[in-house]
Amino acid sequence: MNLGKGHIEIAGVAKSYDGFTYAVHGVNLKIPDGAYCCILGPSGCGKTTILRMVAGHEDPTVGEILIGGENVVGLPPVERRTAMMFQSYALFPHLTVRDNIAFALRVRGLSKTERYAKTDAMIEKVRMTEFSDRLPAQLSGGQQQRVALARAAITEPRVLLLDEPLSALDEHLRIRMRAELRRMQRELGITFVHVTHTQLEAIALADMVVVMENGKIKQSGPAREIYAAPKDRYVAEFLGGQNVLSGKVGKINGTRAMIASPEIAGIQIPMHAGARLEAGQAIDIAVRRDDVELFREDTALSDQDMASVPATILGIEYQGNFVKVMLDAAGEAEFVAYVPERRFFENPFKVGDSVLAAWLIDRAHLLA
Amino acid sequence: MSLARVSDVVATSVSARRSRAIAPTSGRRPWTFYVLAILFTLYLLALYGPMACIYILSLQDLRGGLVFPIKGLSLHWFVDLFTQVRTGDVQGSFERSFKLALVVTVLTVVVSFLAGLGFRKRFAGDTVVFYMMIGSLVAPGLVLGIGVGLIFNAVGIDASLFTSALGAQLSWTLPFGVLVMFAVMSRFDHAWEEAARDLGASPWQTIRLVVIPVLAPGIVAVALFGFTLSYDEFARTLQTAGSLNTLPLEIWSMTLNITSPALYALGTVTTIVSFLVIGASLGTIAFMQKRREARAPGQQGGAA
Amino acid sequence: MAQSAAFKRNLAGWAYVAPLVVVLIPFFVLPLIAVVAASFFETDGFGGLFPAFNLDNYTEILTSGLTFNLYYETIKFTVLTWFFSLLIGFFVAYFLVFHVRNQLLALGLFLLCTVPFWTSNIIRMISWIPLLGKEGLVNEALLKLGLIDQPLEFLLFSSFAVVVAYVHQLTIFMIVPIFNAMGRIDKRVVEAALDAGASRFDIMRLIIVPLSKSGIALGSIFVISIVMGDFFVVKVMSGGGSASVVGAFYENISVLQYPTAAASAVLLTIILVITVGLIIRFVDIRKEITR
């Protein structure tokens, strides 16, 4: 086996704190060396537990965790060569920026000159040189994050674990620091595992996104795949950007199937190669919000490749580069169309208008 | 940056407007403020007034009595205190009290610190220990003192300052110390310890390099409690001190026999010692904070 | 594995509190047991104690009219001191937390209240003598003002003086925990109540008092246990006019009546435990303190 030193494999891991309920259960995951991996899920889904088990701050109840091909369960963090960046950073309040970053070298017994030489290079890397004598309380949120990153990186870890690293920052800063995280990951060339509950953060940063629910992994893969081809209703709804419709399969006709259930009766769905459907089977389909087009209700759709449902406009939100139109359609709690700004204002709709929401049949995506 | 400053201004003005009614940050104060301010002033007067009286009366000359008006101005009674045999062994008892208090302080700090660390996590039987501690705090001191005397008697050890009295005082200072430690540690973020561990620190390094420095001001506060509670302890020491008196015991016997301002002079002296100890403690805390900031110059940083 | 983790945690916990337990057992638990045991013993009247199971000591103190009187006096002082120290302590804390605008000033004033706590209680008590005595400042001032034509006798060496000395010493025990509890009240809760149309009195009754409950409970435990366990203030400040349970205990000890003294101490401890127990039932102080 030739696994990179920062390759992580989580095999059959479960964690229970009380012996009855499981915080995570049956988790299998491989994260390639040098990847930026985001674990995404709502609070309480077990994502932080996984991170802490990889870090060595918790032990799995069952299962194995391998880093670089070696089982690390039971090893302390230093021996795993992992480093963690804590939520709200946990910078030592009594130490200056330099001493915070030098901490790991100090406990390793390096002399003051040695450790400061190394530390100053790292401070330079995170562009904090002019602040190196400050205390954490004298830094802004973004600066604190850089210090936390430098403090973790100075141990030369093969894996850096980040627990909600951006949640303490305001919206504006979050986007800036997001880019900085990605830059640092590229520079350090090590595996990053980043836990977050924000979909946008995950898909913007990650090579690999892992979606979790109730202690289990729902789907993992490249960001684009997760976003564009969610496996099921949960992933589609959690990632957002998709409308999910439910129905029963009616007539099957070559590469297309007709839906027969009351809410969306008559619309057609694509049958990709290998897809197996039977008449009467209950299914969910996902349609991207930006694939939905709106037409006046009296429009006769001539295109054979379009599917459509009647809808009423519940609300309109201007988003700058597009307009978010909320619809009452297909019996779904949420059905949204993202209409490009220019197109919308050519012939604007009002709240209460009856419309047809239509999309190209082949753009619809079948969910499990 | 300017955006942040604007939002700061907005935030402060909003909160200022919001909080006007109950605790106004600007504008007219409510009538309750004046009533309570008067009450508070009276409280402070009653707190310090009587003490000020005895300090003044202790400075009288030979003709001085126990009440006003003040007769003359001299240090006569202070000299009297340390020279006259009839006032008892003031100097000796002071030295003993001071030494005992130092020992109690060190033990209180160490034991409270450890117990504070222990109580942060639940463990089987922690409630028993907790209520044992509360019990020790509320139990009548004199009764405990007698009990300690009985135990020492039964075991066949003579009661003395650094055995029975030391233990009896610890049964009083430790619950205080641990309670203060609780308050101090409630502001200690568990993530700091985890971060230290993550960076490779051993448990001992974590305590030495992170826990103790962060908690240092609180530890000084525990020391202050330990020292002054021991230095002023009376009820538990009365039956456990053995043949030699501590200062409060000396004062107690003086209140029963002495009717001269020498008593007040003694009060002044012990209060000066107390104030020196308080000053030293607060000074140490301030010094620690200053030193931290001195190592970190720089203007006031951005928002934390 | 989960079991061994729990075992390790318990072991670590006990290791940390071991020094505390090592002090408390010989200097709190055993002495208490010794006193309880002594209360059943017999004595030769010269300090000798003989193991026995003898309830005479209890029948003696329970049937004596003197006992009733002692407890009446002690409970009277306890209730009065508790009431006044709570009243003053509550409003001082309320003033500092909710009325002083500058936080630093509030903290400074708070520290000013606590300074005397660090000085000798005995000295603070006798410092009332030049004020309250027959020729003390208060009487002098009242005479000069013509409000009285004879010095007030009840000021010093009286029940009044006892309560004054107690309140003077113990109000700080109310201020500190109540100040802490009030400091944790989110000011926005008060604002929300104001927005909902609550009056000043409503806010006090429905928000401040309930949320300061833990501080009040803790302060009450301190004050009640200290007053009930004290004999010194009563002895000096009442001028011998009043007695107290612990005072009588001390007298009994000095005439070597250990078993009677012990029985009385046990009775007092039971009353104290019941009182403190009631307060603790009312507020989980462990949760409040460690929070």
Side-chain angles (χ1 to χ4, degrees):
Chain A
M1 254 199 315
N2 181 22
L3 292 170
K5 58 190 174 66
H7 176 97
I8 302 172
E9 182 169 355
I10 299 171
V13 162
K15 173 72 184 178
S16 174
Y17 292 97
D18 55 8
F20 305 106
T21 53
Y22 283 86
V24 299
H25 195 56
V27 167
N28 292 293
L29 183 65
K30 284 183 186 169
I31 303 169
D33 182 28
Y36 199 119
C37 171
C38 276
I39 304 182
L40 176 65
S43 54
C45 73
K47 56 191 192 301
T48 299
T49 306
I50 290 187
L51 195 76
R52 292 172 57 80
M53 285 191 292
V54 175
H57 293 299
E58 314 258 5
D59 284 325
T61 311
V62 293
E64 288 190 346
I65 296 171
L66 293 89
I67 300 177
E70 129 201 49
N71 191 353
V72 294
V73 172
L75 292 183
V78 221
E79 286 173 42
R80 296 175 185 222
R81 301 218 9 247
T82 58
M84 185 143 164
M85 202 172 115
F86 288 81
Q87 191 168 14
S88 61
Y89 317 129
L91 296 176
F92 303 125
H94 61 298
L95 299 180
T96 60
V97 167
R98 180 184 282 123
D99 285 327
N100 256 288
I101 297 173
F103 187 88
L105 306 178
R106 181 169 178 192
V107 298
R108 254 160 243 192
L110 266 68
S111 76
K112 203 165 191 164
T113 39
E114 265 181 293
R115 61 178 193 254
Y116 279 175
K118 269 192 156 178
T119 304
D120 286 343
M122 182 56 78
I123 295 176
E124 185 89 51
K125 217 177 207 169
V126 292
R127 301 171 191 161
M128 287 293 289
T129 307
E130 56 178 312
F131 303 105
S132 57
D133 288 326
R134 293 241 187 130
L135 290 174
Q138 299 168 318
L139 301 175
S140 71
Q143 292 166 338
Q144 288 183 19
Q145 198 209 28
R146 288 191 203 152
V147 177
L149 194 60
R151 186 178 70 174
I154 199 134
T155 59
E156 293 174 3
R158 46 187 182 176
V159 175
L160 190 70
L161 304 153
L162 305 97
D163 187 6
E164 303 264 5
L166 301 168
S167 63
L169 306 176
D170 63 44
E171 187 63 38
H172 200 68
L173 206 53
R174 205 176 300 163
I175 291 168
R176 249 182 45 208
M177 295 313 290
R178 196 162 84 185
E180 208 155 314
L181 280 182
R182 188 71 227 217
R183 178 181 68 82
M184 281 300 287
Q185 193 257 345
R186 231 170 261 137
E187 262 175 43
L188 296 169
I190 58 172
T191 314
F192 270 38
V193 182
H194 171 143
V195 155
T196 176
H197 60 262
T198 315
Q199 306 87 303
L200 276 177
E201 200 171 298
I203 56 179
L205 276 169
D207 302 315
M208 176 183 179
V209 175
V210 178
V211 184
M212 289 192 65
E213 185 197 17
N214 287 335
K216 292 205 165 87
I217 292 179
K218 297 298 269 190
Q219 187 174 358
S220 67
R224 182 141 191 259
E225 184 185 305
I226 300 269
Y227 186 80
K231 252 188 198 154
D232 61 10
R233 191 183 187 102
Y234 175 82
V235 177
E237 287 184 342
F238 194 76
L239 265 292
Q242 304 269 5
N243 295 305
V244 182
L245 310 174
S246 296
K248 275 204 172 80
V249 178
K251 218 167 48 193
I252 296 176
N253 174 18
T255 56
R256 292 204 177 143
M258 182 82 87
I259 298 288
S261 75
E263 300 286 4
I264 52 171
I267 74 155
Q268 294 191 57
I269 55 168
M271 294 253 305
H272 296 293
R276 276 200 179 157
L277 289 179
E278 283 167 29
Q281 186 185 345
I283 55 156
D284 288 333
I285 62 164
V287 179
R288 284 175 67 134
R289 291 173 173 181
D290 47 0
D291 280 340
V292 176
E293 280 188 72
L294 300 181
F295 300 94
R296 300 276 167 198
E297 63 175 333
D298 48 6
T299 317
L301 284 177
S302 54
D303 195 336
Q304 287 298 304
D305 292 330
M306 291 285 262
S308 69
V309 290
T312 313
I313 295 180
L314 295 176
I316 297 171
E317 270 179 16
Y318 180 61
Q319 304 276 344
N321 50 352
F322 65 90
V323 179
K324 180 179 178 186
V325 183
M326 284 147 280
L327 302 161
D328 176 18
E332 285 295 324
E334 206 178 21
F335 193 103
V336 176
Y338 290 159
V339 185
E341 190 209 25
R342 208 168 299 157
R343 170 102 56 89
F344 183 88
F345 287 105
E346 276 166 12
N347 186 2
F349 297 100
K350 313 191 296 293
V351 172
D353 283 357
S354 293
V355 294
L356 279 178
W359 60 91
L360 281 169
I361 291 167
D362 287 339
R363 303 284 296 164
H365 168 80
L366 206 56
L367 298 175
Chain B
M1 272 298 100
S2 70
L3 193 74
R5 204 166 304 139
V6 168
S7 70
D8 269 356
V9 171
V10 172
T12 34
S13 67
V14 166
S15 73
R17 198 173 327 122
R18 279 253 206 88
S19 57
R20 177 165 300 162
I22 183 78
T25 43
S26 64
R28 232 170 61 84
R29 293 170 187 274
W31 61 270
T32 48
F33 173 83
Y34 298 99
V35 175
L36 291 172
I38 291 169
L39 173 90
F40 183 72
T41 313
L42 288 177
Y43 174 70
L44 282 188
L45 267 178
L47 200 58
Y48 285 93
M51 292 165 68
C53 287
I54 68 160
Y55 307 148
I56 294 167
L57 288 174
S58 68
L59 292 170
Q60 298 178 98
D61 63 22
L62 194 57
R63 297 162 296 157
L66 285 178
V67 291
F68 284 101
I70 178 164
K71 299 188 183 87
L73 193 70
S74 78
L75 292 176
H76 172 84
W77 297 106
F78 290 89
V79 178
D80 185 71
L81 195 62
F82 288 101
T83 50
Q84 290 277 328
V85 190
R86 66 181 169 97
T87 49
D89 184 13
V90 171
Q91 196 167 341
S93 63
F94 170 73
E95 277 165 16
R96 283 189 289 275
S97 268
F98 202 86
K99 278 182 201 152
L100 182 61
L102 283 181
V103 176
V104 169
T105 305
V106 172
L107 290 174
T108 303
V109 167
V110 174
V111 176
S112 308
F113 178 68
L114 290 175
L117 287 178
F119 274 117
R120 287 191 305 167
K121 287 193 192 133
R122 301 300 305 244
F123 56 91
D126 57 348
T127 317
V128 176
V129 180
F130 180 79
Y131 283 111
M132 201 199 285
M133 196 181 80
I134 298 292
S136 185
L137 186 69
V138 303
L142 192 69
V143 174
L144 274 193
I146 299 288
V148 171
L150 289 174
I151 294 284
F152 270 67
N153 216 352
V155 181
I157 310 173
D158 282 339
S160 75
L161 274 187
F162 287 92
T163 55
S164 49
L166 175 66
Q169 292 200 346
L170 284 174
S171 76
W172 168 240
T173 59
L174 284 181
F176 267 103
V178 177
L179 289 184
V180 175
M181 235 34 245
F182 279 168
V184 172
M185 283 183 175
S186 68
R187 268 169 240 124
F188 186 84
D189 187 350
H190 191 60
W192 287 324
E193 268 174 297
E194 258 183 5
R197 188 170 115 84
D198 200 75
L199 295 167
S202 66
W204 168 237
Q205 281 175 320
T206 307
I207 289 186
R208 190 167 58 89
L209 299 175
V210 178
V211 181
I212 290 179
V214 172
L215 295 182
I219 292 172
V220 174
V222 173
L224 177 61
F225 266 90
F227 188 90
T228 58
L229 289 178
S230 161
Y231 179 69
D232 295 332
E233 215 296 320
F234 170 71
R236 286 170 203 238
T237 322
L238 186 57
Q239 296 296 318
T240 52
S243 51
L244 295 169
N245 270 356
T246 61
L247 194 58
L249 300 183
E250 198 63 41
I251 299 174
W252 145 259
S253 62
M254 279 178 78
T255 57
L256 303 177
N257 314 322
I258 309 279
T259 47
S260 75
L263 184 60
Y264 295 159
L266 183 51
T268 307
V269 170
T270 116
T271 310
I272 288 171
V273 173
S274 294
F275 272 82
L276 286 178
V277 172
I278 301 170
S281 308
L282 295 182
T284 311
I285 295 175
F287 172 74
M288 286 190 296
Q289 236 111 29
K290 269 269 163 55
R291 202 182 53 172
R292 260 178 219 176
E293 270 150 36
R295 272 190 293 150
Q299 328 78 343
Q300 78 283 40
Chain C
M1 189 160 174
Q3 247 174 353
S4 82
F7 179 75
K8 260 169 82 177
R9 199 184 62 225
N10 289 338
L11 199 69
W14 277 99
Y16 279 122
V17 300
L20 176 68
V21 175
V22 164
V23 173
L24 290 184
I25 285 184
F27 292 102
F28 166 63
V29 179
L30 292 181
L32 212 58
I33 293 173
V35 171
V36 173
S39 70
F40 297 110
F41 284 9
E42 285 170 359
T43 177
D44 55 8
F46 301 100
L49 284 173
F50 307 105
F53 185 75
N54 191 341
L55 290 173
D56 290 354
N57 305 313
Y58 285 96
T59 28
E60 192 187 323
I61 58 163
L62 285 175
T63 50
S64 157
L66 191 66
T67 311
F68 175 79
N69 212 16
L70 285 176
Y71 277 89
Y72 170 76
E73 290 278 309
T74 298
I75 290 171
K76 179 184 80 183
F77 289 135
T78 307
V79 170
L80 286 173
T81 308
W82 174 76
F83 176 78
F84 286 109
S85 61
L86 175 59
L87 195 72
I88 300 171
F90 182 86
F91 282 104
V92 165
Y94 178 72
F95 172 73
L96 291 178
V97 174
F98 289 100
H99 279 83
V100 179
R101 288 171 185 171
N102 182 331
Q103 280 227 324
L104 212 61
L105 179 66
L107 202 65
L109 290 176
F110 173 73
L111 284 178
L112 199 61
C113 293
T114 60
V115 167
F117 165 77
W118 310 107
T119 64
S120 166
N121 276 335
I122 301 176
I123 296 301
R124 288 171 63 200
M125 181 184 64
I126 59 171
S127 68
W128 283 100
I129 294 173
L131 271 167
L132 297 180
K134 208 170 168 186
E135 296 155 30
L137 279 186
V138 175
N139 270 328
E140 296 281 316
L142 290 176
L143 281 170
K144 278 223 176 88
L145 288 172
L147 291 170
I148 50 170
D149 42 18
Q150 257 180 12
L152 296 174
E153 295 275 357
F154 76 87
L155 286 181
L156 190 62
F157 303 132
S158 62
S159 298
F160 173 80
V162 173
V163 175
V164 166
Y166 276 137
V167 172
H168 185 224
Q169 273 179 24
L170 302 179
T171 301
I172 189 62
F173 284 96
M174 285 289 188
I175 295 178
V176 174
I178 297 177
F179 180 85
N180 262 333
M182 280 183 181
R184 284 202 294 253
I185 297 178
D186 187 342
K187 299 277 195 300
R188 287 171 303 181
V189 173
V190 176
E191 286 159 13
L194 278 171
D195 286 352
S199 71
R200 204 176 285 285
F201 179 67
D202 286 336
I203 289 173
M204 181 64 83
R205 187 170 56 98
L206 299 172
I207 295 175
I208 313 275
V209 171
L211 290 178
S212 316
K213 216 170 57 176
S214 62
I216 295 172
L218 206 56
S220 301
I221 290 176
F222 276 121
V223 170
I224 291 170
S225 62
I226 292 175
V227 176
M228 287 183 86
D230 181 77
F231 72 107
F232 187 67
V233 173
V234 173
K235 189 174 168 71
V236 174
M237 294 307 274
S238 76
S242 296
S244 65
V245 178
V246 180
F249 171 83
Y250 184 64
E251 310 274 293
N252 273 329
I253 293 294
S254 39
V255 295
L256 302 176
Q257 288 301 317
Y258 282 94
T260 323
S264 161
V266 170
L267 198 61
L268 177 74
T269 308
I270 291 171
I271 293 178
L272 198 56
V273 165
I274 291 172
T275 316
V276 172
L278 281 177
I279 298 174
I280 289 175
R281 261 183 82 93
F282 181 62
V283 181
D284 182 351
I285 58 163
R286 162 130 202 227
K287 214 179 82 201
E288 294 292 342
I289 293 170
T290 47
R291 189 169 60 175

